[in-house]
């Protein structure tokens, strides 16, 4: 992949009901090649940490990034409660984006929460979908929570006790909680030091408006007490009818046990574990990540 940051060919917003969804396109959507639509995590994150995927436009795939409703360049709604922020809302937003941009052939790349969202979307077998990439995503939040208990137990002495004390007291917005949480994040979310610029940009965006994250996820990656805590895609993964690539990291918070259902249930699936990565292998092992994704895309699209 080219080392320089790839400039967008267009940016803008599309209407989504009374709201707006911000998007960024790199490459030519009219080239005749399938678009790679990048769906970020969170919920409540932004596109920034996935920007380097724009470099795939140099190989023939126009790349679409967007910010999900409630974050980044899309409409913010800090007054909305948990009942507003639903999986169906974000499925509708993704469908709307695909239609508004006139995408006839496309591949979905969903990372973390975006992986579950795109799996659910793909299970409905939408027209034009040619392939699916599920990156660093559990298939079930109940499974995720079971694995979080194990990962938390392996943190340095006293860290989990500090975290649980604040979680019980409802003081997860304190500096002490955030400092203790960094032990987990540096092991299982991003192992690079210092954190890359794009990752920091997303982290700051989420910090500035955590409405969606708090409502659907909770105060941290490992303390999921929001509306998603009982949700997953175990009931629909078998309905995915396109070639699917699953990616995870050996040190990922999305542990192999949380990812295994995709390998078991999706009919046409390939799973790659990147050995030196945690939750963001596109940043932690970029060359290996690029090779894996490029090989997959060549089997489902017309890129070079």
């Amino acid at each position: 992949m080219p080392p320089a940051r790839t400039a967008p060919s267009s940016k803008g917003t599309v209407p989504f009901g009374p709201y707006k969804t911000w998007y960024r396109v790199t490459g030519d959507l009219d080239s005749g090649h399938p678009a790679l639509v990048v769906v970020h995590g969170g919920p409540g994150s932004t596109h920034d940490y996935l920007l380097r995927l724009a470099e795939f436009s140099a190989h023939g795939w126009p790349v679409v990034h967007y910010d999900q409703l409630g974050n980044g360049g899309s409409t913010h709604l800090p007054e909305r409660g948990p009942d507003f922020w639903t999986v169906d809302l974000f499925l509708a937003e993704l469908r709307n984006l695909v239609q508004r941009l006139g995408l006839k052939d496309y591949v979905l790349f969903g990372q973390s929460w975006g992986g579950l969202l795109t799996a659910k979307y793909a299970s409905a077998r939408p027209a034009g979908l040619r392939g699916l990439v599920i990156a660093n995503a559990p298939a079930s939040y109940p499974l995720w929570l079971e694995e979080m208990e194990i990962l938390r137990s392996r943190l340095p002495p006293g860290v989990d006790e500090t975290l649980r004390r604040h979680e019980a007291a409802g003081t997860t917005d304190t500096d002490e909680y955030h400092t203790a949480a960094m032990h987990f994040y540096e092991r299982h979310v991003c192992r690079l030091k210092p954190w890359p610029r794009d990752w920091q940009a997303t982290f700051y965006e989420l910090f500035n408006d955590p409405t969606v994250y708090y409502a659907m996820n909770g105060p941290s990656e490992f303390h999921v007490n929001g509306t998603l805590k009982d949700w997953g895609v175990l009931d629909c993964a078998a309905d995915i009818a396109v070639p699917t690539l699953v990616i995870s990291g050996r040190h990922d918070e999305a542990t192999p046990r949380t990812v295994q259902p995709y390998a078991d249930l999706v009919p046409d699936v390939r799973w790659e574990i990147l050995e030196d990565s945690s939750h963001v292998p596109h940043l932690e092992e970029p060359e290996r990540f690029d090779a894996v994704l490029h090989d997959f895309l060549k089997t489902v699209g017309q890129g070079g």
Side-chain angles (χ1 to χ4, degrees):
M1 287 296 166
R5 174 56 51 79
T6 306
S9 51
S10 65
K11 295 180 181 180
T13 61
V14 297
F16 173 47
Y19 314 118
K20 292 182 178 180
T21 300
W22 180 93
Y23 71 89
R24 176 193 199 271
V25 176
T26 312
D28 183 6
L29 291 180
D30 296 321
S31 66
H33 296 161
L36 179 65
V37 180
V38 180
V39 184
H40 65 69
S45 185
T46 62
H47 77 285
D48 299 87
Y49 75 104
L50 293 165
L51 264 176
R52 71 172 302 275
L53 271 70
E55 296 169 5
F56 278 84
S57 64
H59 294 274
W61 293 277
V63 180
V64 178
H65 288 84
Y66 76 104
D67 286 335
Q68 293 165 26
L69 189 67
N71 293 91
S74 296
T75 304
H76 287 238
L77 297 160
E79 73 284 358
R80 294 286 191 166
D83 59 334
F84 178 80
W85 304 106
T86 64
V87 173
D88 286 344
L89 173 74
F90 291 105
L91 289 171
E93 182 184 34
L94 178 54
R95 281 193 297 269
N96 180 72
L97 180 73
V98 167
Q99 293 167 0
R100 294 281 186 174
L101 294 181
L103 304 182
K104 303 301 182 185
D105 295 285
Y106 60 100
V107 175
L108 286 176
F109 178 99
Q111 202 275 340
S112 196
W113 138 258
L116 289 98
L117 185 67
T118 54
K120 181 69 173 178
Y121 182 95
S123 72
R125 304 186 178 185
L129 182 64
R130 299 291 173 247
L132 173 65
V133 183
I134 300 172
N136 317 101
S140 154
Y141 279 99
L143 266 182
W144 173 277
L145 285 168
E146 290 176 12
E147 290 295 284
M148 290 306 103
E149 290 298 308
I150 297 171
L151 296 181
R152 291 175 66 139
S153 72
R154 297 172 180 168
L155 293 173
V159 172
D160 195 34
E161 289 80 355
T162 298
L163 294 170
R164 291 184 188 277
R165 174 164 48 82
H166 285 287
E167 289 162 3
T171 53
T172 55
D173 57 347
T174 60
D175 288 343
E176 186 178 37
Y177 185 83
H178 293 153
T179 299
M182 287 302 295
H183 289 281
F184 181 95
Y185 282 63
E186 290 174 353
R187 287 186 176 200
H188 301 298
V189 182
C190 183
R191 290 159 59 86
L192 298 175
K193 292 183 179 181
W195 278 355
R197 178 189 63 183
D198 291 347
W199 175 245
Q200 290 188 47
T202 282
F203 209 78
Y204 293 146
E205 287 275 5
L206 193 155
F207 181 81
N208 287 334
D209 187 352
T211 303
V212 184
Y213 188 76
Y214 285 175
M216 298 183 75
N217 186 86
S220 68
E221 293 292 279
F222 46 81
H223 186 52
V224 180
N225 59 4
T227 57
L228 290 178
K229 66 181 185 299
D230 298 317
W231 185 71
V233 293
L234 298 178
D235 62 337
C236 64
D239 296 323
I240 296 171
V242 293
T244 300
L245 169 65
V246 175
I247 298 174
S248 63
R250 180 61 66 189
H251 309 281
D252 207 330
E253 57 180 347
T255 64
R257 181 168 173 252
T258 70
V259 177
Q260 186 67 47
Y262 294 117
D264 294 340
L265 297 172
V266 179
D268 183 0
V269 65
R270 165 188 166 191
W271 182 9
E272 292 281 349
I273 299 177
L274 278 70
E275 295 296 331
D276 294 322
S277 293
S278 57
H279 199 54
V280 284
H282 65 285
L283 299 175
E284 294 166 293
E285 285 184 81
E287 292 183 3
R288 175 66 179 147
F289 172 89
D290 289 352
V292 169
L293 182 54
H294 188 261
D295 286 349
F296 174 75
L297 290 175
K298 285 192 296 185
T299 69
V300 297
Q302 303 168 25

